[in-house]
Amino acid sequence: MPVRRPRLRPRPVRLFLTALVATLLAAVSLPTTASAADTPARGSAYMGIGVLAHDGQNGTPRDTRAAQTEGVDVSSHQGNVAWSTLWSSGVKWAYAKATEGTYYTNPYFAQQYNGSYSVGMVRGSYHFATPDTTGGATQADYFVDHGGGWSQDGRTLPGALDIEWNPYGASCYGKTQSAMVTWIRDFLNRYKARTGRDAVIYTATTWWTECTGNYGGFATANPLWIARYASTVGTLPAGWAYQTIWQYTSSGPTVGDHNKFNGALDRVVALANG
């Protein structure tokens, strides 16, 4: 008769190792799942999407005697905006997101861009840059062709380039500092060639320093729109002695993103006129 060998029971060490391997595998898989879940859908970015996460919020602007004009920026997140309510509250100008990359147009753009104009505001449009998808000149063309144009009617502001943290991946879009400067220059040059205007640059000092090496070469031509949620604008990027616009909060009334134009309403109109 065949000899039956006794069944060996798993040793405690073997059980421990098996459990340890399972735990490690689970731990390794968790960050990938969480990261994918935290990445927003393409097209959903907006001005200031990375400000709170990277720079935080430290108060609101102090009262000042300097003339400043309240404005807002909007995107598809706001949907149809109550422009008459904002106008009555003292908001006199607005920017609406028109495009992102070369793959997205804001479905609420017409209501936001034309609605702000209809109540009396000076209005403009902005483009959310994605330097990792297509070139700067290509994105400038897409912007101009989908709402980013300009007309000298005294009520239309030059287009704005929203260049900030990448919500879909690496903060600097996988570009070196010099490559980022080249991308921005290509966008600005094409925009001016198409419209005759120098685009406004929206950014945050920390992002600009990290991703362009604090390049100062655009300051002579392009107005600065600085993002900083604090009581003061703080240190500005190199080259700019002052900001034209300051986005100071993402939690304002009616529409979250509120801004102060550095000057009275006649200066807003002056920028519109070029």
Side-chain angles (χ1 to χ4, degrees), residues 5 54 64 167 179 192 213-214 240 264:
R5 295 180 179 179
H54 291 86
T64 175
K192 185 168 186 178
N214 206 18
W240 283 282

Side-chain angles (χ1 to χ4, degrees), residues 27-60:
V28 168
S29 65
L30 281 176
T32 302
T33 304
S35 177
D38 291 343
T39 302
R42 283 276 178 181
S44 63
Y46 52 87
M47 274 188 170
I49 190 170
V51 174
L52 285 173
H54 291 86
D55 285 351
Q57 183 167 344
N58 299 288
T60 54

